[in-house]
Amino acid sequence: MTESEPRFLTVGAGGAERRIAVRERPGSGPPVVWLGGFRSDMKATKASALDQWAAEAGRRFVRFDYAAHGESSGTFTDCTISAWLEDAQAVLSAHVDEPPILVGSSMGGWIACLAARDRAARGVATAGLVLIAPALDFTEDLIWGRLSEAARAMLVRDGVLRRLSDYAPEPDPITLKLIEDGRRNCMLGEPFDPACPIHILQGMRDTDVPYAHALRIFDRLPAEGTVMTLIADGDHRLSRPQDIARLVAAVAEMV
C-alpha cells in the first residue's frame, strides 16, 4: 500500500495563519474523513488502519493534522477547539464535494459533532458519524472538572498548566485559552441533532473518557439512527485488532 504525500492547505490569516497537512486517497463512495484526537496525528494506528481499508476497498479517504499536530504548522499553546474546528471545516470545504462520513476519535468526536451540527444548520448534508470514545466538552467536564482547586488557581494565574500524559513523554500544556474557548463550544447542555446516522464505539475501561460520559452524549442525540457499541474490556485507545475490526465494520456499514 502506497501512502499518499501530504498536501498543504493554508488556514487563518495574519498571526493565526497555519499550514494544514492533508492526505487524500482517491476512491468511490462517500468520502470518509478522519478527525484525530488531542495531540494525536493522522499517522496514528486507527487512522492508518482506515487508510489501509480504504486502499483495499477502493474507498475515498481524507485525513489531516490539526494545527500544531503532526505535519501541520502552528504553536500548540495558541490553539483552541474553535481553531481546530476551523481546520476541519477548511479541509471539508477544500476536499469534500459530497456528504462525508466523519470519523472522530476522542477530541475528534467533538470536532466531528460540531462540524456536522454546523453543516446541518447550513442545510449541508453529512452522510454519517462514527465516533470513537467521543470527548465532547472534554475541556470542561474531563479537564477543568477534574482539577483540584489549587490546580485551577495555578491555571488561572499562569495561563497554562502542564499535565502528565499517558500518551506522550512530555506533559500536555493545558491553557486557560483552551478551557475558556471550550466553554463556548460545549454541546451537552441540550439535545443536538447532526441530521445523520451516528455510531458510537466506547470502551468501558476507558479512564480518559468514561463510558458514563458517552451515555450522556447518547442521551442528547436523536433516537432515530443512533447506535452505541459498548466494549466491556476496551480502553481509551481502542486500537487492538478486534477494536480496529469493529471500527472498520462501523465505517463500512455507513458507506
Side-chain angles (χ1 to χ4, degrees), residues 35-204:
L35 297 99
F38 187 72
R39 299 195 76 190
S40 184
D41 63 65
M42 63 174 160
K43 291 185 177 181
T45 303
K46 292 186 288 294
S48 295
L50 278 180
D51 185 56
Q52 181 176 347
W53 162 79
E56 293 169 353
R59 298 295 185 178
R60 190 171 165 201
F61 183 58
V62 178
R63 51 185 168 146
F64 69 98
D65 287 327
Y66 307 111
H69 288 67
E71 297 169 284
S72 294
S73 69
T75 302
F76 193 86
T77 50
D78 290 339
C79 295
T80 60
I81 299 300
S82 293
W84 291 325
L85 173 61
E86 184 182 23
D87 296 340
Q89 290 171 324
V91 170
L92 290 171
S93 178
H95 291 269
V96 168
D97 55 7
E98 59 182 294
I101 295 164
L102 305 182
V103 185
S105 178
S106 193
M107 181 184 80
W110 188 6
I111 302 292
C113 286
L114 286 165
R117 185 180 67 176
D118 175 69
R119 289 170 66 86
R122 293 185 286 113
V124 181
T126 299
L129 293 175
V130 177
L131 309 175
I132 309 124
L136 279 68
D137 301 8
F138 82 93
T139 52
E140 188 67 16
D141 295 346
L142 304 177
I143 295 182
W144 181 261
R146 291 179 173 183
L147 292 177
S148 66
E149 286 300 324
R152 289 180 182 181
M154 186 182 301
L155 177 54
V156 170
R157 183 192 70 211
D158 299 338
V160 65
L161 181 70
R162 300 195 178 273
R163 191 181 66 155
L164 292 177
S165 169
D166 292 332
Y167 308 103
E170 67 280 354
D172 290 333
I174 305 300
T175 64
L176 185 61
K177 180 178 178 180
L178 176 71
I179 298 294
E180 291 176 341
D181 177 80
R183 288 181 184 137
R184 292 190 286 272
N185 286 288
C186 281
M187 302 183 75
L188 297 180
E190 58 187 10
F192 66 96
D193 185 358
C196 63
I198 305 132
H199 192 153
I200 297 172
L201 300 168
Q202 176 68 46
M204 295 180 73

